[in-house]
Amino acid sequence: MNISLKTKPDIWLKWFAAFFIFAPQFAYAGEFGPNESAAETFSNKSICVASPWAYESLGKLIGAAYMVISVRDDVSDTLLGASSTAASKVEVHDIVMVDGNMNMTPAKNLTVSRESPLKMKPHGLHIMLMGLDKPLEPEMTIPLTLKFMHSGVIEVEVSVRNFNDNPPTHTVTCD
């Protein structure tokens, strides 16, 4: 199959992200590091976001953010989308295997409930940051706004980690 850059520009972005941003992260096959803990929690009256983080982007203007989103009560909510002043385009994506191939697909209207928090981590659900103002570097933070159907918006700060660091443990409950 021949795909030209003129006719299918999105395919090149997906290919680039899959092989140069996410592929090295897939080598980490275990769950989150046992000695790590959720560093920060952001919340409003309904939603809790645990330890939003991203790996450094290794000089690229594209990256991914990960976190766990929980609700405070028994009422579910829906993540409608995200935005950031640090990136020109922000989308919620999921990575699924189809016929042995890794495919990144947009994920829309994700429901979060007490029984089913949204767990974003490498090689799965994530927030794609495209057109970054500058590459992500360790120790920096970037602003991220999450928009929910019932709870409105919640502002979080995404901490950038060294590419060789293990992901943080995402264990949070809304009190």
Side-chain angles (χ1 to χ4, degrees), residues 126-160:
H126 61 278
I127 296 179
M128 194 76 198
L129 305 164
M130 299 166 278
L132 290 165
D133 294 338
K134 59 183 179 180
L136 301 178
E137 297 177 359
E139 307 299 321
M140 73 186 292
T141 61
I142 59 167
L144 184 67
T145 302
L146 303 172
K147 183 178 180 185
F148 293 89
M149 183 180 291
H150 303 293
S151 303
V153 299
I154 185 168
E155 305 285 337
V156 303
E157 290 290 324
V158 177
S159 299
V160 180

Side-chain angles (χ1 to χ4, degrees), residues 4-18:
S4 83
L5 186 55
K6 279 184 172 177
T7 59
K8 299 281 187 182
D10 286 345
I11 196 76
W12 294 107
L13 175 62
K14 290 178 183 177
W15 182 87
F16 173 82

Side-chain angles (χ1 to χ4, degrees), residues 29-96:
E31 278 298 312
F32 301 119
N35 59 348
E36 302 265 347
S37 62
E40 292 188 80
T41 301
F42 298 86
S43 62
N44 63 20
K45 64 180 183 172
S46 304
I47 300 289
C48 295
V49 178
S51 191
W53 67 280
Y55 278 125
E56 64 184 306
S57 58
L58 301 175
K60 309 296 183 218
L61 295 179
I62 190 169
Y66 312 101
M67 64 203 69
V68 174
I69 303 172
S70 307
V71 294
R72 287 190 180 281
D73 50 31
D74 291 333
V75 178
S76 62
D77 207 339
T78 304
L79 176 63
L80 300 175
S83 62
S84 176
T85 57
S88 62
K89 189 173 184 182
V90 178
E91 295 179 354
V92 181
H93 286 174
D94 200 0
I95 295 179
V96 294

